[in-house]
Amino acid sequence: MAQNDRLTSPTDDDFDCQRRLANDSTKETVAASGTTPVCICCPLADEQHEARHATRTIMIETHKLTRRFKVGDTEVRALDAVDLRIESGEFVAVMGPSGSGKSTLMNILGCLDTPDDGEYALLGQAVGQMQDADLSRIRNQHIGFVFQSFHLLPRMTALDNVLLPFRFSPAPPAGATENAVALLGDLGLSDRLDHRPNQLSGGQRQRVAIARALVNTPPLLLADEPTGNLDSKTSVEIMQLFTRLNQNGQTIMMVTHEEEIAAYAKRVVRMRDGRIEKDERNTH
């Protein structure tokens, strides 16, 4: 598929950043009410908007992203021409009922799946139609994953689990072990380095998984129901950690079905039937 110029050379029209009103998205209502439009990912008005976003890197951009599956004789569009842009430094929650397409979207953005149609650019690279080897490189170098079920290797210590991504790197960076130790310490696990997953609580296992996701300093962190297997107290602790990471500049995209978890994000994308139904900035 030919690379779409829209994904690599944004025009002035692209800088609208899917602008929405905080209370209504229609231009007619804007004109009638006199309400100033705001961007879904920042509170700036129109006259300040282009200057603000001209200095931001486009982390994710999709154009008419489509994924189809066969269920018996029926074709199901898990994603139906999805347009989405996420800038560096954003914290975005994706919500929707079962079958809405949110997990399929996460898989494609994480280079775990490829679209049938449409385009996907990550940091300006058109990755939607890359081959497996290139997708593996992108995953290893640019994306950190946090899963609901942690996916820690049971026979490895916390430290070895965090160092796992370097096993798939051509040459681990100098100081990788020291950095992993420091990262676990920052997450409150300095006394759990040699513990195996079955010796850790659910919250501690998720912190190890977060450390593993961050050890390569990826520009993008993808979290799929990161609190799904945690109690409410531990869920709050993990989301407070995500908030601190985002405040330090980490770009985060998170799938969740819980409104109280989505409330930690700066922006919420709601999906239904494979399409984005609503895209709005959190006002908390």
Side-chain angles (χ1 to χ4, degrees):
M1 182 180 295
Q3 185 169 324
N4 191 315
D5 290 341
R6 181 179 181 275
L7 299 182
T8 56
S9 302
T11 66
D12 289 341
D13 290 336
D14 288 321
F15 282 111
D16 68 355
C17 197
Q18 305 172 52
R19 189 178 286 118
R20 299 287 187 271
L21 282 180
N23 58 348
D24 194 302
S25 62
T26 64
K27 292 182 180 179
E28 290 79 4
T29 304
V30 176
S33 65
T35 307
T36 302
V38 296
C39 173
I40 53 178
C41 59
C42 78
L44 301 180
D46 283 356
E47 63 271 13
Q48 301 167 292
H49 193 270
E50 275 68 25
R52 154 69 168 72
H53 286 278
T55 61
R56 293 288 290 273
T57 301
I58 300 171
M59 182 68 64
I60 287 172
E61 188 168 21
T62 72
H63 180 56
K64 297 190 180 301
L65 202 65
T66 300
R67 186 71 170 98
R68 295 181 290 270
F69 296 100
K70 279 281 190 179
V71 180
D73 295 329
T74 304
E75 181 181 271
V76 176
R77 288 201 172 204
L79 293 180
D80 190 3
V82 171
D83 290 343
L84 177 68
R85 173 183 284 190
I86 296 175
E87 293 183 352
S88 62
E90 285 200 77
F91 185 177
V92 180
V94 179
M95 301 193 71
S98 178
S100 63
K102 59 186 186 297
S103 293
T104 302
L105 178 63
M106 175 74 79
N107 287 340
I108 291 178
L109 297 184
C111 298
L112 298 170
D113 193 10
T114 54
D116 293 305
D117 294 302
E119 299 185 47
Y120 165 37
L122 175 65
L123 286 170
Q125 298 184 68
V127 299
Q129 301 300 327
M130 282 185 177
Q131 299 302 309
D132 287 345
D134 292 324
L135 291 174
S136 295
R137 176 181 56 81
I138 291 291
R139 286 195 299 269
N140 184 257
Q141 296 178 1
H142 298 296
I143 305 172
F145 295 92
V146 178
F147 300 100
Q148 175 177 344
S149 299
F150 319 132
H151 292 312
L152 302 178
L153 296 186
R155 296 185 180 181
M156 298 179 71
T157 66
L159 179 58
D160 287 337
N161 267 285
V162 172
L163 289 169
L164 192 61
F166 294 125
R167 292 195 175 191
F168 303 97
S169 299
T177 299
E178 291 78 4
N179 290 339
V181 169
L183 187 54
L184 285 166
D186 290 341
L187 297 178
L189 295 172
S190 56
D191 59 343
R192 297 289 189 271
L193 302 182
D194 297 324
H195 286 59
R196 288 181 169 80
N198 65 356
Q199 298 172 307
L200 301 172
S201 69
Q204 289 170 337
R205 278 179 278 174
Q206 192 61 293
R207 287 172 185 268
V208 172
I210 292 169
R212 180 185 58 194
L214 296 174
V215 73
N216 265 347
T217 60
L220 175 63
L221 182 63
L222 296 179
D224 189 2
E225 300 282 2
T227 62
N229 285 342
L230 303 176
D231 59 51
S232 57
K233 178 178 181 295
T234 306
S235 295
V236 169
E237 293 173 353
I238 293 299
M239 292 316 302
Q240 289 173 340
L241 172 58
F242 273 31
T243 299
R244 291 196 299 273
L245 290 170
N246 179 248
Q247 288 171 343
N248 289 331
Q250 180 69 55
T251 307
I252 302 173
M253 179 175 168
M254 171 183 67
V255 165
T256 183
H257 67 277
E258 300 177 77
E259 292 286 350
E260 59 268 30
I261 297 301
Y264 285 89
K266 295 178 180 176
R267 174 180 164 195
V268 179
V269 175
R270 298 181 186 274
M271 298 190 67
R272 184 176 295 275
D273 298 329
R275 297 184 177 185
I276 293 178
E277 183 179 56
K278 197 171 185 181
D279 190 341
E280 58 189 355
R281 182 170 57 88
N282 260 340
T283 56
H284 59 76

